[in-house]
């Protein structure tokens, strides 16, 4: 068994589901996909006073419910999840303390200040956590060069800390609970990712949510309120088509029945999510993952500086951590330092790089060589870094088309993905890039980067609805682990969280 970070669940390697199994569906289709990095703990932690029956069963309250209105039941679920993670962290610290100094993690024992609902941790729970920790260390050691000499870009983030049982934790837990996740399936890394995503979306959210709540007010939805929402969504870079589609759906409901304000917000979120998920569902593959035991070639294309190389480094890390054999083609032969930069990223995940060091080498030739090497070594995922190019430069777009032709000829049976990397902070300009690249590069999907710190995260909706491209991954930070498969439910919740 290996945890597949692309599919967000444990899989039997090398068994491969192709076409994707129903479990690959996004939360709307299958809200109970486990995302846990670690296997569930078999022991039940000591329950806090007042824990509900739902928590005792380890089941989430009301899958699909929006987390905005945190019920007592949801709060209890969050407490139980916190307690379990706290027990794990304590067990991890204890296990580390008994190991030789050289292998001790940097994180100090029980570093997280906390106000847990109660003390937790049985002997069985501690043992299970210690075993899991050992397994994870082996995986991490294989996946990431712990002693990487290169610091700077993508420096490995320290292990996440549990921190307090605070608003950030409960929000993340609520988002997981709303997707039908079980208490024992929650992992600290996903709690942290959600926290980062929400923080990252803060700038986009700041104006949006306040304005939305002001517009929605305390009264039932009226046609006038729906009209007001138009300006709010357009300002958030949601785009004309997505805005129209969302508002049309709201108008239909308002005409049919009285829609209370909370219901109005829920409807709005549902509509936004549908816009994001429509192109994903159209592909028949809700989570993009390399297919095992065959060659997958993923081309990363886009304009200059959007984060192609960084994304490639993060994808290589996801691949290695998920048990895929991976290789990198350094086909950005234009920028002097590009090969070195991509090599540093690849080295962090101990992934081989195929490059041509001579100046102005033909990128298509590099890709040709890399495919040959990947085929010879039965590599499953070949990630191709390409030079940044403006969508308006015809000759450079031709060069992309040539690379694609080489891939098709040299690896006719490979599964090819052409992923456009888009910088979220470029807003509507990103949409123009998507439309221009879509044809020349035969795009199959989008990676949205720099969602942290961008005020224009709403552009994801414009890209999905107007370029009709599935968003496959989102990046919210420069660290090696700051990239995850896209999840429409989590994205919309982060976009519309009431406080940040
Ligand atoms: N904050 C933030 N920065 C990012 C993210 N992804 C990439 N970056 C930063 O964006 C900058 C450009 O990233 P690169 O990966 O070099 O971009 P590129 O598209 O390969 O650039 P060219 O090869 O010049 O076209 C770097 O400083 C990255 O650290 C992200 O998700 N968040």
């Amino acid at each position: 068994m290996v945890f597949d970070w692309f599919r967000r669940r444990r899989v039997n390697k090398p068994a491969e589901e192709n076409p994707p199994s129903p479990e690959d569906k996004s939360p709307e289709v299958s809200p109970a996909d486990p995302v846990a990095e670690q296997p569930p703990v078999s022991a039940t932690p000591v329950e806090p006073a007042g824990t509900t029956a739902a928590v005792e069963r380890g089941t989430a309250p009301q899958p699909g419910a929006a987390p905005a209105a945190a019920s007592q039941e949801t709060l209890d679920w969050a407490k139980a999840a916190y307690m379990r993670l706290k027990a794990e962290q304590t067990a991890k610290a204890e296990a580390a303390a008994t190991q030789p100094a050289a292998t001790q993690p940097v994180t100090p024992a029980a570093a997280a200040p906390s106000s847990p609902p109660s003390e937790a941790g049985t002997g069985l729970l501690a043992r299970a956590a210690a075993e899991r920790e050992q397994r994870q260390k082996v995986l991490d050691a294989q996946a990431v060069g712990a002693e990487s000499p290169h610091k700077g870009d993508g420096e490995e983030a320290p292990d996440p800390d549990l921190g307090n049982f605070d608003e950030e934790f409960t929000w993340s837990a609520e988002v997981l609970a709303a997707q039908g996740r079980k208490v024992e399936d929650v992992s600290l890394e996903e709690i942290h990712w959600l926290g980062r995503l929400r923080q990252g979306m803060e700038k986009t959210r700041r104006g949006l949510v306040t304005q939305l709540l002001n517009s929605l007010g305390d009264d039932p939805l009226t046609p006038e309120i729906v009209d007001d929402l138009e300006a709010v969504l357009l300002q958030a870079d949601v785009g004309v088509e997505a805005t129209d589609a969302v508002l049309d759906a709201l108008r239909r409901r308002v005409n049919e029945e009285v829609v209370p304000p909370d219901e109005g917000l829920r409807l709005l979120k549902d509509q936004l999510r549908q816009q994001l998920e429509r192109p994903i569902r159209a592909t028949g593959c809700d989570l993009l993952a390399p297919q095992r035991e065959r060659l997958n070639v993923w081309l990363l294309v886009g304009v200059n500086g959007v984060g192609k190389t960084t994304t490639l480094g993060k994808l290589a890390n996801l691949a290695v951590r998920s048990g895929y054999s991976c290789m990198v083609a350094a086909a950005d032969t234009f920028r002097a330092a590009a090969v070195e930069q991509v090599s540093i990223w690849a080295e962090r995940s101990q992934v081989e790089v195929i490059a041509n060091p001579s100046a102005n080498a033909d990128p298509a030739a590099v890709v040709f060589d890399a495919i040959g090497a990947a085929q010879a070594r039965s590599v499953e995922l070949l990630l191709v870094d390409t030079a940044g190019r403006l969508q308006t430069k015809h000759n450079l777009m031709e060069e992309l088309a040539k690379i694609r032709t080489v891939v098709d000829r040299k690896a006719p049976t490979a599964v090819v993905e052409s992923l456009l990397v888009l910088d979220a902070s470029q807003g509507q300009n990103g949409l123009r890039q998507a439309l221009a690249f879509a044809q020349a590069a035969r795009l199959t999907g989008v990676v949205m980067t720099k969602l942290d710190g961008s005020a224009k995260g709403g552009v994801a909706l414009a890209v999905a609805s107007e370029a009709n491209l599935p968003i496959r991954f989102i990046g919210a930070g420069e660290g090696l682990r700051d990239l995850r498969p896209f999840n429409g439910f989590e994205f919309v919740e982060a976009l519309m969280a009431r406080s940040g």
Side-chain angles (χ1 to χ4, degrees):
M1 290 279 271
V2 62
F3 189 86
D4 191 319
W5 288 90
F6 296 96
R7 292 189 162 80
R8 304 183 73 179
R9 63 183 163 85
R10 291 207 157 260
V11 294
N12 273 327
K13 196 181 166 222
E16 173 66 11
E17 302 81 39
N18 183 22
S21 69
E23 291 109 322
D24 286 346
K25 300 293 177 191
S26 58
E28 181 180 83
V29 184
S30 172
D33 276 352
V35 185
E37 173 191 9
Q38 302 145 349
V41 179
S42 52
T44 308
V46 178
E47 302 293 351
T51 302
T52 65
V55 174
E56 283 159 17
R57 287 194 305 273
T59 55
Q62 294 185 336
S71 64
Q72 185 58 41
E73 193 181 21
T74 308
L75 198 60
D76 287 340
W77 190 95
K79 283 179 186 169
Y82 183 88
M83 218 171 48
R84 210 207 92 223
L85 292 171
K86 179 75 184 163
E88 270 182 25
Q89 183 172 270
T90 306
K92 186 175 166 181
E94 283 168 7
T98 60
Q99 285 171 3
T103 57
Q104 280 183 16
V106 183
T107 313
S114 64
S115 49
S118 74
E119 280 306 311
T122 64
L124 188 54
L125 182 65
R127 266 204 313 281
E131 282 168 20
R132 201 166 36 250
E133 164 66 4
Q134 270 307 108
R135 275 198 301 276
Q136 190 55 44
K137 270 194 191 140
V138 172
L139 270 177
D140 284 349
Q142 286 166 352
V144 180
E147 299 291 323
S148 172
H150 305 285
K151 299 290 174 190
D153 282 355
E155 194 171 347
E156 176 67 355
D159 281 349
D161 225 6
L162 181 55
N164 287 324
F165 184 72
D166 55 12
E167 207 270 325
E168 182 168 315
F169 183 94
T170 50
W171 180 84
S172 301
E174 283 161 17
V175 170
L176 296 171
Q179 294 178 78
R181 200 69 49 74
K182 292 180 177 170
V183 165
E184 62 268 27
D185 287 338
V186 175
S187 74
L188 192 48
E189 195 161 326
E190 70 184 326
I191 290 273
H192 270 256
W193 164 253
L194 284 172
R196 275 206 305 278
L197 182 63
R198 189 176 79 142
Q199 273 169 21
M201 304 275 287
E202 192 182 339
K203 278 195 191 159
T204 304
R205 194 171 58 232
R206 210 178 281 157
L208 178 72
V209 174
T210 320
Q211 284 195 60
L212 276 176
L213 294 180
N214 284 346
S215 295
L216 287 169
D218 297 326
D219 300 320
L221 221 54
T222 62
E224 292 72 32
I225 292 174
V226 177
D227 289 346
D228 286 351
L229 293 179
E230 184 168 10
V232 180
L233 292 175
L234 288 176
Q235 272 167 29
D237 274 80
V238 167
V240 178
E241 282 188 26
T243 301
D244 283 351
V246 167
L247 297 186
D248 285 351
L250 288 186
R251 283 190 189 101
R252 277 196 299 277
R253 280 297 290 272
V254 170
N255 288 338
E256 284 165 10
E257 59 186 326
V258 176
V259 181
D262 272 358
E263 176 67 359
L265 190 62
R266 197 190 63 75
L267 275 175
L268 183 59
K269 286 183 182 180
D270 277 356
Q271 286 303 320
L272 293 173
R273 186 153 59 95
Q274 278 182 34
Q275 293 301 315
L276 288 166
E277 290 179 346
R278 183 169 299 128
I280 297 176
R281 280 199 301 271
T283 65
C285 164
D286 287 346
L287 287 169
L288 179 63
Q291 292 182 21
R292 293 195 190 268
E293 297 193 313
R294 63 183 296 190
L295 178 59
N296 300 258
V297 181
W298 289 9
L299 302 162
L300 296 173
V301 304
V303 306
N304 302 79
V306 286
K308 293 180 294 299
T309 309
T310 309
T311 296
L312 179 144
K314 294 169 179 174
L315 284 173
N317 190 254
L318 279 189
V320 171
R321 292 171 79 199
S322 307
Y324 294 94
S325 53
C326 182
M327 185 182 268
V328 166
D332 180 354
T333 56
F334 185 71
R335 195 160 54 84
V339 173
E340 194 194 345
Q341 189 193 352
V342 82
S343 302
I344 291 171
W345 274 104
E347 189 182 312
R348 291 202 177 99
S349 304
Q350 294 170 10
V351 166
E352 190 180 353
V353 179
I354 304 296
N356 182 339
S358 54
N360 288 326
D362 179 2
V366 174
V367 173
F368 185 90
D369 290 347
I371 290 175
Q375 287 167 333
R377 278 161 241 181
S378 301
V379 162
E380 290 168 309
L381 179 61
L382 176 66
L383 293 167
V384 180
D385 189 29
T386 65
R389 67 202 70 220
L390 279 177
Q391 71 274 21
T392 48
K393 298 278 184 216
H394 183 67
N395 57 332
L396 294 178
M397 297 306 271
E398 291 272 286
E399 187 186 86
L400 266 191
K402 184 177 164 194
I403 291 176
R404 182 59 199 260
T405 306
V406 165
V407 173
D408 291 343
R409 291 220 182 111
K410 177 82 175 156
T413 57
V415 185
V416 184
E417 288 288 332
S418 184
L419 299 171
L420 177 70
V421 182
L422 280 183
D423 175 345
S425 63
Q426 295 187 0
Q428 289 291 309
N429 192 27
L431 173 61
R432 282 188 282 280
Q433 290 163 25
L435 293 168
F437 270 86
Q439 272 205 321
R442 285 154 62 192
L443 294 182
T444 55
V446 166
V447 180
M448 201 109 228
T449 61
K450 309 192 195 182
L451 276 164
D452 54 312
S454 159
K456 300 180 173 182
V459 73
L461 284 131
V463 167
S465 63
E466 290 178 46
N468 203 22
L469 285 166
I471 296 167
R472 290 310 196 177
F473 298 94
I474 49 173
E478 296 179 86
L480 198 53
R481 298 187 184 192
D482 291 339
L483 179 100
R484 289 298 153 99
F486 179 74
N487 175 316
F489 182 85
E490 291 169 5
F491 184 89
V492 171
E493 288 304 330
L495 183 68
M496 307 277 273
R498 279 180 193 248
S499 61

